[in-house]
Amino acid sequence: MTFRLTCPVCGARDVYEFRYGGQERGPRPEQAQLSSDEHFRWTQFRMTRPEPQEEWWYHTGGCGVWFTTWRNPATNREEPPHEVERG
Amino acid sequence: MTTPSLHRQSPVVFDATPTKLEPQDGWNVARSYPQDSTLDSPRLIDLSHRPRWDYQDSCLDEKSPFGLHVPPRPGEVAIASGLIISRMNRTQVSIGSIGFGAPPDTPPDVGYTDTTDSHCWLAILGKNTPTVMECVSSLDLFFPERITPFLTQGPVLHVPCQVVTMETDCILISFSRGYGQTFVDALLHSASDTGVQVGGEQMFTDWVAEKYGAT
Ligand SMILES: [Zn+2]
């Protein structure tokens, strides 16, 4: 299995040059009124839908930059987000 | 008991006996090897004794390290005053000495890091240079639409490297010092069909002089 990712510094490169950094999940929620369930969902819960998702990647074999990109896990292609984003 | 003299040591040792070995700033530099008289096959040349720096600043475009103009975009490279300056990303450049004169001292600005001792720096020289690089990397180092010299950051022999394509017949490679010896052993083995062999530093300085003048 292989595919390419687009580093903002280096351009399109083989995925084996990158390290996966997980889904982008927004800023850490405020702790003050946070329920344990909400805390659990933010720290542990991940989407597994076959549609584009925003992800963090690290160009470990190249320029050493962290960046986000949208990838469709069903096709392993970079793909812009679908129009209606889920909250 | 004798006290060893202080000296610096290149991260690589070539399995060849130089015909001219000269001390320079505490390094023993192999200027030439017996087979250097003709450039009939590609050469691997050790430049690790040549001074290198990283320079970093959040407003890099407003700075001029060593008085040099900073290339505006990542991947762009400029050569002036015997120095080569490569734009790595938004905030960093790497700078190396490729000229003949004494290199400049490291300025007191906190943005400079002297990386000479932490890196291995090599040159591949000669008309089959692209064939040598194809043996050790899948990076597109000779994309015709790019203007030389240019920087590519990526794996060579699975080692994260900065690779500067000077021309079709000259590539500069730098990477962390610890990979040095296994890197050159693997390169000489992998690309042996090209006839690649080790060369002295003089071949590189002659190439620079012909290309850029006595910079
Ligand atoms: Zn990159």
Side-chain angles (χ1 to χ4, degrees):
Chain A
M1 179 199 73
T2 190
F3 55 94
R4 298 201 302 175
L5 289 170
T6 308
C7 169
V9 173
C10 304
R13 293 285 185 85
D14 192 316
V15 69
Y16 290 110
E17 292 184 22
F18 299 90
R19 198 183 98 196
Y20 184 56
Q23 288 175 23
E24 161 60 23
R25 51 204 161 112
R28 187 182 188 87
E30 287 293 330
Q31 285 292 121
Q33 280 91 36
L34 201 63
S35 70
S36 59
D37 184 57
E38 287 169 326
H39 182 258
F40 170 78
R41 290 179 72 82
W42 187 83
T43 55
Q44 305 293 334
F45 197 69
R46 301 290 181 273
M47 296 297 174
T48 53
R49 297 190 184 108
E51 61 186 48
Q53 61 185 20
E54 191 175 17
E55 300 171 337
W56 283 96
W57 288 87
Y58 175 58
H59 198 179
T60 180
C63 64
V65 161
W66 279 101
F67 63 97
T68 59
T69 188
W70 287 80
R71 179 183 66 99
N72 188 337
T75 61
N76 269 333
R77 295 288 181 274
E78 286 176 291
E79 194 179 313
H82 291 173
E83 271 186 22
V84 181
E85 280 184 41
R86 294 166 200 252
Chain B
M1 184 177 160
T2 56
T3 306
S5 57
L6 292 174
H7 68 283
R8 286 163 151 171
Q9 196 165 323
S10 170
V12 301
V13 177
F14 291 155
D15 186 17
T17 306
T19 47
K20 192 174 180 188
L21 191 68
E22 287 183 343
Q24 178 184 316
D25 301 329
W27 303 78
N28 282 327
V29 180
R31 303 274 189 228
S32 62
Y33 287 91
Q35 68 277 12
D36 282 3
S37 53
T38 58
L39 194 52
D40 52 354
S41 62
R43 302 305 164 104
L44 174 66
I45 299 166
D46 182 16
L47 303 178
S48 302
H49 56 282
R50 289 187 160 264
R52 291 177 58 83
W53 302 264
D54 279 355
Y55 181 78
Q56 180 164 355
D57 195 284
S58 59
C59 301
L60 189 56
D61 293 314
E62 298 165 15
K63 302 288 180 170
S64 51
F66 294 111
L68 301 170
H69 171 70
V70 172
R73 281 174 291 276
E76 292 182 341
V77 173
I79 293 167
S81 308
L83 299 172
I84 183 166
I85 177 168
S86 308
R87 183 75 180 246
M88 297 156 67
N89 53 45
R90 188 179 62 81
T91 58
Q92 288 177 294
V93 286
S94 63
I95 301 163
S97 167
I98 59 167
F100 302 100
D105 292 332
T106 306
D109 182 340
V110 293
Y112 292 91
T113 304
D114 188 325
T115 58
T116 314
D117 288 324
S118 62
H119 280 71
C120 180
W121 195 12
L122 306 169
I124 311 281
L125 202 62
K127 65 178 165 46
N128 289 331
T129 294
T131 316
V132 173
M133 295 311 296
E134 281 171 11
C135 296
V136 291
S137 179
S138 58
L139 295 170
D140 188 359
L141 301 171
F142 299 95
F143 186 49
E145 289 176 22
R146 297 193 72 177
I147 298 166
T148 56
F150 62 84
L151 170 72
T152 307
Q153 299 173 91
V156 178
L157 290 163
H158 302 285
V159 173
C161 291
Q162 289 184 24
V163 185
V164 175
T165 304
M166 301 287 279
E167 285 290 338
T168 310
D169 64 347
C170 183
I171 286 271
L172 305 181
I173 311 172
S174 61
F175 51 90
S176 289
R177 177 187 170 96
Y179 294 109
Q181 192 62 45
T182 44
F183 188 98
V184 302
D185 289 347
L187 186 145
L188 290 168
H189 180 73
S190 303
S192 59
D193 285 352
T194 67
V196 64
Q197 53 187 321
V198 302
E201 193 215 26
Q202 188 68 45
M203 298 186 96
F204 175 72
T205 49
D206 287 349
W207 187 92
V208 171
E210 191 178 318
K211 177 79 183 164
Y212 299 102
T215 180

